[in-house]
Each structure stands twice: as structure tokens, then as C-alpha cells.
Amino acid sequence: MDFLFDFTILHVLISVIALVSGVRLTVAFTKGDDPYSIKFVFLVSTAANLLTGFLFTFHGVTPAIVIGALNAVILLGTIAASARKSSTRLWGLSYVVGSLALLYFNCLVFIVQSFQKVPCLHAMAPVGNEPPVIVSQGVLFLVAIAAGYLCLRRTRRPAI
């Protein structure tokens, strides 16, 4: 096996950990909880996912690079808000919204990568802008809005 294949597998495993821990953190937010262990796993795996994503061969600025850079900025803000969330309601809100945004972008990349790399999905949408991709992204957006509403409604510090 070659290094790139092994590195890709590592990156995918880290991505799955970030996705699963992000969903678990979102469920905890909807209950008004903030479990440290899940938060830690989510933030660390998301940071590792970004780092490994930027270590792939660079072929110019692509949507993946733009989303990765945006995620890096959101991650830094979310980590800062996580550390200070008990200070004010605004920090608590920033932490929840940042975490949800990170999860949303991770899921969005998962959808795009799935349609590019999984043969049966790629056959349905070889270009990437066909209805199955657009519908998947639309459903993700609606789920993210609903989850965001539930999280902010039940979070202890939802208001500014």
C-alpha cells in the first residue's frame, strides 16, 4: 500500500469521529447539556480533520480549500467561546453556533466527497450538481436549521 492511501484512510477515520461526536454534541445541546468529553473529542477531531485535509496535495484554490479555511476560523472562534462560555451569554451562544456550523460544514463535505468517491453515488451524479446532490445538501440545510433551533432553544445561554 502507498502512503497516500493510508493517509486518506486516516483522514476519513478522523472525519467519521468528528461527524459522530458532532452529532452526539448536537443531541446533548438539544437537551441543554454540554458534556466535556464529547466536546473535547469533537473539537480535537475537527482540528485533526482540518489539519490532515490541508496536508493533501495542493492544486490551487478549490471549494474544499475555501471551506477548510472557513472551518479553521470558525474552529478558533469556537474553541475561544468554549473556554469562555460561562463568562457571558454571548460566549455561550457563540460556542453553540460555532459547533453547529463546524458540524454542518463537515456534513456538507461528507456529502460532496461521497458523491465524488462512492461509485454508486458517483454514477447518479458524475458532475456534482445533479438533483441527488442538491437534494442531499438541501435536506442537510433543513436538518441543520431545525437542529440549530432546538439547540438554541434548550441551551442554557441562548440569548444575547
Side-chain angles (χ1 to χ4, degrees), residues 50-128:
L50 283 168
L51 177 64
T52 57
F54 280 121
L55 293 177
F56 283 99
T57 307
F58 182 75
H59 298 291
V61 178
T62 63
I65 297 292
V66 173
I67 288 178
L70 178 62
N71 262 0
V73 171
I74 295 170
L75 178 65
L76 291 174
T78 303
I79 290 171
S82 170
R84 303 200 55 199
K85 70 180 169 37
S86 60
S87 300
T88 65
R89 298 172 82 167
L90 182 57
W91 282 112
L93 176 65
S94 300
Y95 162 61
V96 171
V97 170
S99 296
L100 293 173
L102 288 169
L103 178 60
Y104 172 76
F105 284 122
N106 285 344
C107 290
L108 187 65
V109 169
F110 176 76
I111 288 170
V112 170
Q113 290 290 320
S114 295
F115 276 100
Q116 289 177 351
K117 310 290 187 210
V118 177
C120 63
L121 294 176
H122 185 71
M124 291 191 312
V127 176

Side-chain angles (χ1 to χ4, degrees), residues 5-68:
F5 179 78
D6 294 341
F7 186 71
T8 302
I9 294 297
L10 175 67
H11 177 71
V12 169
L13 289 174
I14 292 169
S15 299
V16 170
I17 293 169
L19 288 169
V20 170
S21 61
V23 169
R24 291 197 59 206
L25 186 61
T26 301
V27 169
F29 285 158
T30 63
K31 296 176 181 177
D33 296 333
D34 182 20
Y36 177 79
S37 59
I38 296 172
K39 171 179 70 174
F40 180 79
V41 170
F42 175 66
L43 292 175
V44 168
S45 60
T46 299
N49 185 31
L50 283 168
L51 177 64
T52 57
F54 280 121
L55 293 177
F56 283 99
T57 307
F58 182 75
H59 298 291
V61 178
T62 63
I65 297 292
V66 173
I67 288 178

